[in-house]
mmCIF file of all heavy atoms in Angstrom:
data_model
loop_
_atom_site.group_PDB
_atom_site.id
_atom_site.type_symbol
_atom_site.label_atom_id
_atom_site.label_comp_id
_atom_site.label_asym_id
_atom_site.label_seq_id
_atom_site.Cartn_x
_atom_site.Cartn_y
_atom_site.Cartn_z
ATOM 1 N N GLN A 1 5.398 4.453 -16.295
ATOM 2 C CA GLN A 1 6.443 4.842 -15.358
ATOM 3 C C GLN A 1 6.038 4.492 -13.928
ATOM 4 O O GLN A 1 4.851 4.489 -13.589
ATOM 5 C CB GLN A 1 6.713 6.327 -15.462
ATOM 6 C CG GLN A 1 7.292 6.730 -16.794
ATOM 7 C CD GLN A 1 7.660 8.196 -16.828
ATOM 8 O OE1 GLN A 1 7.596 8.906 -15.840
ATOM 9 N NE2 GLN A 1 8.064 8.669 -17.992
ATOM 10 N N LEU A 2 7.040 4.240 -13.114
ATOM 11 C CA LEU A 2 6.866 3.968 -11.691
ATOM 12 C C LEU A 2 7.720 4.965 -10.931
ATOM 13 O O LEU A 2 8.882 5.183 -11.275
ATOM 14 C CB LEU A 2 7.313 2.542 -11.359
ATOM 15 C CG LEU A 2 7.267 2.156 -9.884
ATOM 16 C CD1 LEU A 2 5.820 2.036 -9.425
ATOM 17 C CD2 LEU A 2 8.010 0.862 -9.662
ATOM 18 N N PHE A 3 7.130 5.592 -9.924
ATOM 19 C CA PHE A 3 7.842 6.569 -9.102
ATOM 20 C C PHE A 3 7.872 6.062 -7.667
ATOM 21 O O PHE A 3 6.849 5.646 -7.134
ATOM 22 C CB PHE A 3 7.125 7.920 -9.140
ATOM 23 C CG PHE A 3 6.897 8.432 -10.529
ATOM 24 C CD1 PHE A 3 5.718 8.162 -11.204
ATOM 25 C CD2 PHE A 3 7.878 9.175 -11.170
ATOM 26 C CE1 PHE A 3 5.504 8.626 -12.486
ATOM 27 C CE2 PHE A 3 7.676 9.639 -12.463
ATOM 28 C CZ PHE A 3 6.488 9.363 -13.124
ATOM 29 N N VAL A 4 9.046 6.109 -7.042
ATOM 30 C CA VAL A 4 9.210 5.668 -5.666
ATOM 31 C C VAL A 4 9.950 6.765 -4.913
ATOM 32 O O VAL A 4 10.969 7.271 -5.394
ATOM 33 C CB VAL A 4 10.012 4.351 -5.576
ATOM 34 C CG1 VAL A 4 10.173 3.907 -4.132
ATOM 35 C CG2 VAL A 4 9.340 3.251 -6.399
ATOM 36 N N SER A 5 9.430 7.136 -3.737
ATOM 37 C CA SER A 5 10.141 8.124 -2.934
ATOM 38 C C SER A 5 10.097 7.714 -1.469
ATOM 39 O O SER A 5 9.149 7.074 -1.007
ATOM 40 C CB SER A 5 9.548 9.524 -3.114
ATOM 41 O OG SER A 5 8.233 9.584 -2.596
ATOM 42 N N PHE A 6 11.144 8.074 -0.776
ATOM 43 C CA PHE A 6 11.270 7.838 0.659
ATOM 44 C C PHE A 6 11.550 9.192 1.299
ATOM 45 O O PHE A 6 12.463 9.889 0.860
ATOM 46 C CB PHE A 6 12.442 6.899 0.969
ATOM 47 C CG PHE A 6 12.310 5.537 0.362
ATOM 48 C CD1 PHE A 6 12.738 5.290 -0.931
ATOM 49 C CD2 PHE A 6 11.759 4.499 1.094
ATOM 50 C CE1 PHE A 6 12.628 4.035 -1.499
ATOM 51 C CE2 PHE A 6 11.645 3.239 0.536
ATOM 52 C CZ PHE A 6 12.088 3.001 -0.762
ATOM 53 N N LYS A 7 10.776 9.545 2.311
ATOM 54 C CA LYS A 7 11.007 10.805 3.016
ATOM 55 C C LYS A 7 11.041 10.521 4.512
ATOM 56 O O LYS A 7 10.162 9.854 5.045
ATOM 57 C CB LYS A 7 9.918 11.821 2.699
ATOM 58 C CG LYS A 7 9.926 12.280 1.264
ATOM 59 C CD LYS A 7 8.884 13.329 1.001
ATOM 60 C CE LYS A 7 8.926 13.710 -0.477
ATOM 61 N NZ LYS A 7 7.898 14.674 -0.836
ATOM 62 N N LEU A 8 12.062 11.052 5.153
ATOM 63 C CA LEU A 8 12.199 10.908 6.597
ATOM 64 C C LEU A 8 12.181 12.296 7.204
ATOM 65 O O LEU A 8 13.006 13.141 6.868
ATOM 66 C CB LEU A 8 13.506 10.192 6.944
ATOM 67 C CG LEU A 8 13.757 9.921 8.424
ATOM 68 C CD1 LEU A 8 12.674 9.024 9.003
ATOM 69 C CD2 LEU A 8 15.125 9.283 8.616
ATOM 70 N N LYS A 9 11.203 12.542 8.066
ATOM 71 C CA LYS A 9 11.095 13.822 8.756
ATOM 72 C C LYS A 9 10.983 13.500 10.238
ATOM 73 O O LYS A 9 9.950 12.981 10.686
ATOM 74 C CB LYS A 9 9.883 14.606 8.269
ATOM 75 C CG LYS A 9 9.785 15.993 8.844
ATOM 76 C CD LYS A 9 8.677 16.786 8.196
ATOM 77 C CE LYS A 9 8.681 18.202 8.763
ATOM 78 N NZ LYS A 9 7.603 19.002 8.170
ATOM 79 N N GLY A 10 12.045 13.788 10.958
ATOM 80 C CA GLY A 10 12.076 13.402 12.375
ATOM 81 C C GLY A 10 12.047 11.888 12.474
ATOM 82 O O GLY A 10 12.888 11.207 11.907
ATOM 83 N N ASP A 11 11.040 11.373 13.168
ATOM 84 C CA ASP A 11 10.926 9.919 13.313
ATOM 85 C C ASP A 11 9.806 9.345 12.442
ATOM 86 O O ASP A 11 9.378 8.217 12.638
ATOM 87 C CB ASP A 11 10.715 9.536 14.776
ATOM 88 C CG ASP A 11 9.430 10.124 15.359
ATOM 89 O OD1 ASP A 11 8.761 10.905 14.682
ATOM 90 O OD2 ASP A 11 9.114 9.778 16.521
ATOM 91 N N LEU A 12 9.351 10.108 11.443
ATOM 92 C CA LEU A 12 8.272 9.671 10.567
ATOM 93 C C LEU A 12 8.806 9.373 9.170
ATOM 94 O O LEU A 12 9.398 10.230 8.506
ATOM 95 C CB LEU A 12 7.208 10.757 10.489
ATOM 96 C CG LEU A 12 5.823 10.327 10.032
ATOM 97 C CD1 LEU A 12 5.231 9.293 10.978
ATOM 98 C CD2 LEU A 12 4.910 11.525 9.940
ATOM 99 N N LEU A 13 8.623 8.132 8.728
ATOM 100 C CA LEU A 13 9.057 7.702 7.409
ATOM 101 C C LEU A 13 7.836 7.589 6.505
ATOM 102 O O LEU A 13 6.842 6.960 6.873
ATOM 103 C CB LEU A 13 9.761 6.346 7.483
ATOM 104 C CG LEU A 13 10.142 5.694 6.155
ATOM 105 C CD1 LEU A 13 11.174 6.534 5.407
ATOM 106 C CD2 LEU A 13 10.641 4.277 6.374
ATOM 107 N N LYS A 14 7.927 8.204 5.322
ATOM 108 C CA LYS A 14 6.866 8.102 4.325
ATOM 109 C C LYS A 14 7.440 7.449 3.080
ATOM 110 O O LYS A 14 8.435 7.914 2.531
ATOM 111 C CB LYS A 14 6.303 9.472 3.962
ATOM 112 C CG LYS A 14 5.521 10.107 5.075
ATOM 113 C CD LYS A 14 4.887 11.407 4.623
ATOM 114 C CE LYS A 14 4.067 12.004 5.750
ATOM 115 N NZ LYS A 14 3.339 13.210 5.317
ATOM 116 N N ILE A 15 6.818 6.357 2.678
ATOM 117 C CA ILE A 15 7.206 5.663 1.463
ATOM 118 C C ILE A 15 6.052 5.811 0.479
ATOM 119 O O ILE A 15 4.924 5.403 0.775
ATOM 120 C CB ILE A 15 7.500 4.177 1.728
ATOM 121 C CG1 ILE A 15 8.608 4.032 2.773
ATOM 122 C CG2 ILE A 15 7.866 3.468 0.429
ATOM 123 C CD1 ILE A 15 8.833 2.610 3.245
ATOM 124 N N ASN A 16 6.332 6.389 -0.659
ATOM 125 C CA ASN A 16 5.312 6.625 -1.672
ATOM 126 C C ASN A 16 5.683 5.877 -2.947
ATOM 127 O O ASN A 16 6.795 6.015 -3.446
ATOM 128 C CB ASN A 16 5.195 8.120 -1.962
ATOM 129 C CG ASN A 16 4.092 8.429 -2.936
ATOM 130 O OD1 ASN A 16 2.937 8.103 -2.702
ATOM 131 N ND2 ASN A 16 4.439 9.065 -4.036
ATOM 132 N N ILE A 17 4.753 5.090 -3.450
ATOM 133 C CA ILE A 17 4.957 4.351 -4.696
ATOM 134 C C ILE A 17 3.761 4.664 -5.586
ATOM 135 O O ILE A 17 2.614 4.503 -5.161
ATOM 136 C CB ILE A 17 5.035 2.832 -4.451
ATOM 137 C CG1 ILE A 17 6.151 2.517 -3.448
ATOM 138 C CG2 ILE A 17 5.228 2.083 -5.763
ATOM 139 C CD1 ILE A 17 6.121 1.102 -2.920
ATOM 140 N N GLU A 18 4.032 5.150 -6.782
ATOM 141 C CA GLU A 18 2.921 5.454 -7.683
ATOM 142 C C GLU A 18 3.303 5.170 -9.122
ATOM 143 O O GLU A 18 4.474 5.163 -9.471
ATOM 144 C CB GLU A 18 2.421 6.871 -7.512
ATOM 145 C CG GLU A 18 3.429 7.957 -7.711
ATOM 146 C CD GLU A 18 2.855 9.323 -7.373
ATOM 147 O OE1 GLU A 18 1.947 9.783 -8.106
ATOM 148 O OE2 GLU A 18 3.309 9.924 -6.393
ATOM 149 N N ASP A 19 2.283 4.917 -9.923
ATOM 150 C CA ASP A 19 2.519 4.662 -11.332
ATOM 151 C C ASP A 19 1.489 5.411 -12.173
ATOM 152 O O ASP A 19 0.561 6.011 -11.644
ATOM 153 C CB ASP A 19 2.502 3.159 -11.650
ATOM 154 C CG ASP A 19 1.134 2.518 -11.462
ATOM 155 O OD1 ASP A 19 0.096 3.200 -11.582
ATOM 156 O OD2 ASP A 19 1.086 1.305 -11.210
ATOM 157 N N ASP A 20 1.692 5.375 -13.451
ATOM 158 C CA ASP A 20 0.751 6.007 -14.365
ATOM 159 C C ASP A 20 0.060 4.948 -15.224
ATOM 160 O O ASP A 20 -0.257 5.164 -16.375
ATOM 161 C CB ASP A 20 1.455 7.066 -15.227
ATOM 162 C CG ASP A 20 2.550 6.486 -16.091
ATOM 163 O OD1 ASP A 20 2.880 5.283 -15.938
ATOM 164 O OD2 ASP A 20 3.098 7.209 -16.928
ATOM 165 N N GLY A 21 -0.188 3.796 -14.599
ATOM 166 C CA GLY A 21 -0.783 2.670 -15.309
ATOM 167 C C GLY A 21 -2.293 2.756 -15.414
ATOM 168 O O GLY A 21 -2.890 3.828 -15.342
ATOM 169 N N ILE A 22 -2.918 1.593 -15.529
ATOM 170 C CA ILE A 22 -4.354 1.540 -15.770
ATOM 171 C C ILE A 22 -5.193 1.686 -14.501
ATOM 172 O O ILE A 22 -6.387 1.930 -14.578
ATOM 173 C CB ILE A 22 -4.763 0.250 -16.503
ATOM 174 C CG1 ILE A 22 -4.428 -0.982 -15.664
ATOM 175 C CG2 ILE A 22 -4.114 0.193 -17.877
ATOM 176 C CD1 ILE A 22 -4.995 -2.259 -16.188
ATOM 177 N N GLY A 23 -4.574 1.535 -13.329
ATOM 178 C CA GLY A 23 -5.297 1.689 -12.072
ATOM 179 C C GLY A 23 -6.369 0.635 -11.880
ATOM 180 O O GLY A 23 -6.496 -0.304 -12.664
ATOM 181 N N PHE A 24 -7.158 0.785 -10.821
ATOM 182 C CA PHE A 24 -8.233 -0.152 -10.529
ATOM 183 C C PHE A 24 -9.197 0.506 -9.557
ATOM 184 O O PHE A 24 -8.875 1.497 -8.914
ATOM 185 C CB PHE A 24 -7.687 -1.453 -9.939
ATOM 186 C CG PHE A 24 -6.953 -1.274 -8.629
ATOM 187 C CD1 PHE A 24 -7.611 -1.401 -7.421
ATOM 188 C CD2 PHE A 24 -5.599 -0.979 -8.615
ATOM 189 C CE1 PHE A 24 -6.934 -1.233 -6.218
ATOM 190 C CE2 PHE A 24 -4.924 -0.812 -7.419
ATOM 191 C CZ PHE A 24 -5.595 -0.934 -6.222
ATOM 192 N N ASP A 25 -10.365 -0.069 -9.446
ATOM 193 C CA ASP A 25 -11.363 0.372 -8.481
ATOM 194 C C ASP A 25 -11.286 -0.584 -7.302
ATOM 195 O O ASP A 25 -11.646 -1.755 -7.428
ATOM 196 C CB ASP A 25 -12.759 0.354 -9.110
ATOM 197 C CG ASP A 25 -13.848 0.836 -8.164
ATOM 198 O OD1 ASP A 25 -13.616 0.874 -6.936
ATOM 199 O OD2 ASP A 25 -14.936 1.166 -8.659
ATOM 200 N N GLU A 26 -10.792 -0.119 -6.165
ATOM 201 C CA GLU A 26 -10.568 -0.990 -5.015
ATOM 202 C C GLU A 26 -11.863 -1.656 -4.534
ATOM 203 O O GLU A 26 -11.837 -2.753 -3.999
ATOM 204 C CB GLU A 26 -9.933 -0.203 -3.864
ATOM 205 C CG GLU A 26 -9.441 -1.097 -2.747
ATOM 206 C CD GLU A 26 -8.681 -0.366 -1.661
ATOM 207 O OE1 GLU A 26 -8.367 0.820 -1.830
ATOM 208 O OE2 GLU A 26 -8.407 -1.003 -0.636
ATOM 209 N N GLN A 27 -12.992 -1.012 -4.746
ATOM 210 C CA GLN A 27 -14.274 -1.589 -4.331
ATOM 211 C C GLN A 27 -14.705 -2.736 -5.245
ATOM 212 O O GLN A 27 -15.481 -3.592 -4.834
ATOM 213 C CB GLN A 27 -15.362 -0.508 -4.314
ATOM 214 C CG GLN A 27 -15.054 0.651 -3.402
ATOM 215 C CD GLN A 27 -14.803 0.229 -1.958
ATOM 216 O OE1 GLN A 27 -15.532 -0.577 -1.411
ATOM 217 N NE2 GLN A 27 -13.748 0.768 -1.362
ATOM 218 N N LYS A 28 -14.186 -2.762 -6.466
ATOM 219 C CA LYS A 28 -14.610 -3.781 -7.428
ATOM 220 C C LYS A 28 -13.552 -4.833 -7.691
ATOM 221 O O LYS A 28 -13.829 -5.829 -8.349
ATOM 222 C CB LYS A 28 -14.997 -3.119 -8.749
ATOM 223 C CG LYS A 28 -16.224 -2.248 -8.633
ATOM 224 C CD LYS A 28 -16.571 -1.631 -9.973
ATOM 225 C CE LYS A 28 -17.797 -0.737 -9.838
ATOM 226 N NZ LYS A 28 -18.133 -0.086 -11.098
ATOM 227 N N VAL A 29 -12.347 -4.605 -7.201
ATOM 228 C CA VAL A 29 -11.256 -5.545 -7.480
ATOM 229 C C VAL A 29 -11.529 -6.864 -6.755
ATOM 230 O O VAL A 29 -12.117 -6.896 -5.675
ATOM 231 C CB VAL A 29 -9.884 -4.950 -7.072
ATOM 232 C CG1 VAL A 29 -9.724 -4.889 -5.575
ATOM 233 C CG2 VAL A 29 -8.748 -5.733 -7.679
ATOM 234 N N LYS A 30 -11.123 -7.964 -7.374
ATOM 235 C CA LYS A 30 -11.299 -9.278 -6.783
ATOM 236 C C LYS A 30 -10.567 -9.349 -5.452
ATOM 237 O O LYS A 30 -9.388 -9.021 -5.369
ATOM 238 C CB LYS A 30 -10.773 -10.355 -7.742
ATOM 239 C CG LYS A 30 -10.899 -11.753 -7.202
ATOM 240 C CD LYS A 30 -10.303 -12.770 -8.155
ATOM 241 C CE LYS A 30 -10.326 -14.141 -7.521
ATOM 242 N NZ LYS A 30 -9.599 -15.126 -8.313
ATOM 243 N N LYS A 31 -11.269 -9.731 -4.431
ATOM 244 C CA LYS A 31 -10.660 -9.815 -3.099
ATOM 245 C C LYS A 31 -9.788 -11.061 -3.007
ATOM 246 O O LYS A 31 -10.227 -12.165 -3.292
ATOM 247 C CB LYS A 31 -11.717 -9.846 -1.999
ATOM 248 C CG LYS A 31 -12.454 -8.541 -1.843
ATOM 249 C CD LYS A 31 -11.533 -7.457 -1.351
ATOM 250 C CE LYS A 31 -12.271 -6.147 -1.200
ATOM 251 N NZ LYS A 31 -11.431 -5.058 -0.834
ATOM 252 N N GLY A 32 -8.572 -10.840 -2.627
ATOM 253 C CA GLY A 32 -7.621 -11.917 -2.415
ATOM 254 C C GLY A 32 -6.775 -11.536 -1.223
ATOM 255 O O GLY A 32 -7.199 -10.743 -0.384
ATOM 256 N N ASN A 33 -5.600 -12.044 -1.141
ATOM 257 C CA ASN A 33 -4.732 -11.741 -0.006
ATOM 258 C C ASN A 33 -3.900 -10.486 -0.208
ATOM 259 O O ASN A 33 -3.419 -9.904 0.748
ATOM 260 C CB ASN A 33 -3.795 -12.919 0.272
ATOM 261 C CG ASN A 33 -4.526 -14.087 0.852
ATOM 262 O OD1 ASN A 33 -5.493 -13.918 1.588
ATOM 263 N ND2 ASN A 33 -4.108 -15.291 0.512
ATOM 264 N N GLY A 34 -3.731 -10.032 -1.418
ATOM 265 C CA GLY A 34 -2.821 -8.928 -1.712
ATOM 266 C C GLY A 34 -3.094 -7.645 -0.961
ATOM 267 O O GLY A 34 -2.298 -7.224 -0.113
ATOM 268 N N LEU A 35 -4.214 -6.979 -1.235
ATOM 269 C CA LEU A 35 -4.509 -5.705 -0.591
ATOM 270 C C LEU A 35 -4.741 -5.879 0.905
ATOM 271 O O LEU A 35 -4.253 -5.090 1.714
ATOM 272 C CB LEU A 35 -5.721 -5.044 -1.238
ATOM 273 C CG LEU A 35 -5.542 -4.602 -2.692
ATOM 274 C CD1 LEU A 35 -6.852 -4.068 -3.246
ATOM 275 C CD2 LEU A 35 -4.448 -3.567 -2.811
ATOM 276 N N ASP A 36 -5.484 -6.905 1.276
ATOM 277 C CA ASP A 36 -5.748 -7.141 2.699
ATOM 278 C C ASP A 36 -4.451 -7.358 3.480
ATOM 279 O O ASP A 36 -4.294 -6.849 4.585
ATOM 280 C CB ASP A 36 -6.679 -8.336 2.891
ATOM 281 C CG ASP A 36 -8.108 -8.056 2.440
ATOM 282 O OD1 ASP A 36 -8.482 -6.865 2.331
ATOM 283 O OD2 ASP A 36 -8.850 -9.023 2.197
#
């Protein structure tokens, strides 16, 4: 499943995207252009 939420409080917008997938270790993931 993928969950997406948008919350606006005053002038602050929070966009949250999360899943229940396999995840990853950001320190060990192959560095490319995506995360950077």
Side-chain angles (χ1 to χ4, degrees):
Q1 294 185 6
L2 176 70
F3 306 93
V4 180
S5 66
F6 299 86
K7 293 183 182 177
L8 182 61
K9 186 173 183 181
D11 61 355
L12 200 61
L13 174 64
K14 291 185 178 185
I15 302 172
N16 184 58
I17 303 168
E18 57 186 293
D19 66 27
D20 61 353
I22 62 170
F24 61 93
D25 181 343
E26 191 174 351
Q27 301 303 315
K28 294 181 181 178
V29 72
K30 179 183 174 188
K31 291 294 180 185
N33 289 327
L35 294 175
D36 290 340

